[in-house]
Amino acid sequence: MLSPTSEIEGRLQRLKGRETRTQSIATRFTPSEERALLQVATSCGKNLREWAREVLLDAANGQQHGDGAPLFAEVQALRLLLINTLEPLLRGEKMTPEQFKEMLRYVKTNKRKAAADMLASYAEGTTEQP
């Protein structure tokens, strides 16, 4: 456990080199909302104010906390690759190395659009047809 002196020294060390924070934003939550926020902040190893500040700044900078957009695009890339390569193979057709390279180029070019389309369909509540 840290001594009170080393704890204060640690805080002072973090303050060096950054702009002074002078502005505050307040909002109100229900007790159940506060418990939910505290639980998430604690699971991230942060106090509520520190966690909320990060989430707000990430949102203001156009990011979502724990943004998984790049990962989701890669999942969609795998999905595109599997769908577009397995279907002909299941019909008994063979794929040449050139065809496979072309498929990889197609996937690389279209994975972000596929991810955006999928997210849009989730937002609309539509289901995907096979």
Side-chain angles (χ1 to χ4, degrees):
M1 182 161 183
L2 293 174
S3 70
T5 305
S6 63
E7 199 172 314
I8 291 171
E9 288 171 357
R11 287 183 187 171
L12 290 174
Q13 191 68 20
R14 284 186 297 231
L15 293 177
K16 291 180 182 176
R18 76 161 167 83
E19 186 179 350
T20 304
R21 295 179 185 153
T22 59
Q23 303 303 310
S24 176
I25 299 172
T27 189
R28 296 181 183 270
F29 297 98
T30 66
S32 62
E33 291 170 335
E34 180 187 23
R35 282 191 300 276
L37 293 172
L38 281 167
Q39 185 177 18
V40 173
T42 302
S43 72
C44 293
K46 298 178 180 174
N47 69 46
L48 181 57
R49 290 178 185 189
E50 179 185 9
W51 174 82
R53 182 175 184 282
E54 283 184 15
V55 170
L56 288 171
L57 288 173
D58 285 350
N61 292 326
Q63 305 168 358
Q64 288 187 339
H65 196 63
D67 185 20
L71 181 60
F72 189 69
E74 292 304 319
V75 169
Q76 290 306 305
L78 288 171
R79 184 176 176 273
L80 282 172
L81 185 63
L82 283 171
I83 289 170
N84 291 314
T85 55
L86 286 179
E87 185 180 350
L89 293 175
L90 290 172
R91 287 194 308 254
E93 299 173 10
K94 296 198 182 237
M95 184 176 278
T96 67
E98 292 79 25
Q99 289 173 315
F100 186 72
K101 285 180 185 177
E102 180 59 34
M103 182 59 61
L104 290 176
R105 279 191 287 276
Y106 170 81
V107 168
K108 187 175 182 179
T109 303
N110 292 293
K111 65 184 176 184
R112 288 179 189 81
K113 183 181 180 332
D117 291 347
M118 185 63 70
L119 289 173
S121 71
Y122 288 145
E124 294 170 1
T126 58
T127 57
E128 186 179 350
Q129 298 298 320

